[in-house]
Amino acid sequence: MLSNKIRRKLENLKELPSIPSVISNVLNEIDAPDYSAKYIAKLIEQDQGLTARILKMANSPYYGLVRTISTIDTAIIILGSNTIKEILLSLLMQKIFTKTRSKLLNTKSFWQYSIFCGAASRFIARKMKYKIVSEAFVTGLMHDIGILVAMDNFRNNFSKVRKLQTEEGYSIIEAELEVLECTHSDIGAWITEKWNFPEKISNALKFHHTPFYVADEEYYSDDFISNPTFNKLKYPLATITSISEWFAFECGMKNWDTNNEPTYYATNEFIMNMVDDELLDYDSALVVLKQGIMDEYEKCSVNF
């Protein structure tokens, strides 16, 4: 839970990440069930740089289109509203990263890790049959935004967090609780609430380091904990995000952090649920999943 001390400081800060007005207006309009592709295109075209980036991403091999998209309204019609939101929020995150400079954290490595988690979340969402895979991508991409906010706005305290990690062997969660009395998960959830993101995304950020049997304990029996079922989880996006971060550790993509692995909402409890071949043992299943996730990441990373 966000500590009162950190909440007060966040509410008084003037340099918090904000959504540019063009992106904010588009996100508000595109969620309407009867949205107009032409009207949304006009909103986007107010920003030439944004227009160019959307068209570049829309035409990338990642989306696998056989025809070239030359206009924004065509991109909206062909790709759909969820993919356009994914592109817009990816560009927003990229903008936030380019403004972040600190010796406390390798932001280039952190950005690549974030892209990896977005791609992994998309892959996992497909495997788990989560309906809106673009939602999973966005959540995976931005799930650790609270770290950037803490690093930029509580620099001295974040320095203490990193020192506890490197010198005392704390995980980042343990160090944050010691210094900030809350975690980057709490801060990230607060940011997305300020941005009026869907509650399921805010909850994913909030709980991705809270074990699912704690976050969901009022709902599930011991039988469920020993044999969890994805579609009965209260926070499925937290599961997807958590597994994506765990795979980042497993695949060597979390180089910005120490080797002191924190707890996760869910990790290996769901690994076997993602593999179609019942003949595979756990280790073989892990190899197959790692390869699939790395392939997804390689396709995705060309966009950034």
Side-chain angles (χ1 to χ4, degrees), residues 221-233:
S221 64
D222 291 339
D223 290 340
F224 175 84
I225 293 172
S226 62
N227 185 25
T229 303
F230 178 77
N231 61 11
K232 290 185 179 180
L233 284 167

Side-chain angles (χ1 to χ4, degrees), residues 259-296:
N259 291 323
N260 306 305
E261 198 169 358
T263 56
Y264 297 107
Y265 181 81
T267 51
N268 58 350
E269 295 96 341
F270 289 88
I271 294 298
M272 297 306 293
N273 292 358
M274 290 191 285
V275 180
D276 299 326
D277 191 342
E278 294 180 353
L279 297 179
L280 292 178
D281 59 19
Y282 179 85
D283 290 337
S284 300
L286 201 57
V287 170
V288 171
L289 292 172
K290 281 183 181 180
Q291 187 58 58
I293 287 173
M294 287 304 297
D295 290 345
E296 187 77 22

Side-chain angles (χ1 to χ4, degrees), residues 1-286:
M1 180 181 294
L2 194 64
S3 69
N4 290 330
K5 176 177 66 175
I6 295 298
R7 183 185 298 276
R8 285 194 298 269
K9 288 184 178 181
L10 287 171
E11 289 173 346
N12 290 324
L13 289 172
K14 297 179 180 179
E15 298 298 324
L16 280 172
S18 60
I19 299 182
S21 59
V22 171
I23 294 180
S24 179
N25 291 338
V26 171
L27 293 176
N28 287 333
E29 291 292 332
I30 209 166
D31 278 331
D34 56 347
Y35 71 86
S36 164
K38 286 191 175 182
Y39 179 65
I40 292 171
K42 285 183 180 180
L43 290 176
I44 293 173
E45 287 163 355
Q46 294 173 11
D47 187 322
Q48 292 182 347
L50 183 61
T51 299
R53 290 289 287 126
I54 289 176
L55 290 177
K56 180 181 177 182
M57 290 183 73
N59 285 295
S60 74
Y62 190 55
Y63 293 105
L65 299 177
V66 295
R67 56 175 290 189
T68 300
I69 296 177
S70 57
T71 63
I72 294 295
D73 55 343
T74 302
I76 295 168
I77 292 168
I78 293 178
L79 294 174
S81 61
N82 286 322
T83 299
I84 293 298
K85 284 193 288 186
E86 173 187 313
I87 292 173
L88 286 170
L89 292 170
S90 298
L91 295 175
L92 170 64
M93 287 300 295
Q94 194 171 25
K95 184 175 182 180
I96 291 171
F97 270 87
T98 56
K99 287 185 176 181
T100 301
R101 294 286 184 273
S102 176
K103 294 181 180 179
L104 299 174
L105 186 149
N106 184 328
T107 51
K108 182 177 180 180
S109 177
F110 190 83
W111 174 236
Q112 292 302 315
Y113 151 79
S114 299
I115 297 170
F116 176 91
C117 287
S121 292
R122 179 194 288 280
F123 178 89
I124 295 161
R126 290 198 199 103
K127 290 291 185 181
M128 294 293 201
K129 294 181 172 56
Y130 187 79
K131 290 182 179 179
I132 309 176
V133 294
S134 60
E135 194 171 69
F137 175 85
V138 167
T139 306
L141 181 72
M142 65 185 303
H143 76 284
D144 274 343
I145 190 174
I147 292 175
L148 295 181
V149 174
M151 183 178 67
D152 278 349
N153 297 286
F154 310 115
R155 191 154 297 179
N156 290 337
N157 282 336
F158 192 76
S159 178
K160 293 176 184 177
V161 167
R162 299 298 277 172
K163 188 173 182 180
L164 283 175
Q165 286 188 269
T166 56
E167 296 183 6
E168 303 295 333
Y170 282 44
S171 73
I172 190 167
I173 296 296
E174 293 168 336
E176 287 171 340
L177 287 172
E178 178 78 18
V179 176
L180 302 173
E181 298 176 9
C182 62
T183 71
H184 67 273
S185 304
D186 301 312
I187 295 172
W190 184 87
I191 289 290
T192 53
E193 287 166 6
K194 288 291 181 183
W195 286 349
N196 293 315
F197 274 33
E199 186 178 16
K200 54 189 170 181
I201 292 181
S202 296
N203 283 333
L205 268 62
K206 183 176 182 179
F207 291 117
H208 73 276
H209 284 302
T210 302
F212 76 93
Y213 48 83
V214 175
D216 290 340
E217 62 183 356
E218 61 187 288
Y219 293 88
Y220 302 118
S221 64
D222 291 339
D223 290 340
F224 175 84
I225 293 172
S226 62
N227 185 25
T229 303
F230 178 77
N231 61 11
K232 290 185 179 180
L233 284 167
K234 185 180 179 186
Y235 305 115
L237 268 181
T239 298
I240 292 169
T241 304
S242 170
I243 296 173
S244 77
E245 183 169 331
W246 183 78
F247 269 109
F249 260 112
E250 288 289 308
C251 295
M253 292 299 298
K254 203 171 181 184
N255 299 322
W256 62 269
D257 200 5
T258 67
N259 291 323
N260 306 305
E261 198 169 358
T263 56
Y264 297 107
Y265 181 81
T267 51
N268 58 350
E269 295 96 341
F270 289 88
I271 294 298
M272 297 306 293
N273 292 358
M274 290 191 285
V275 180
D276 299 326
D277 191 342
E278 294 180 353
L279 297 179
L280 292 178
D281 59 19
Y282 179 85
D283 290 337
S284 300
L286 201 57

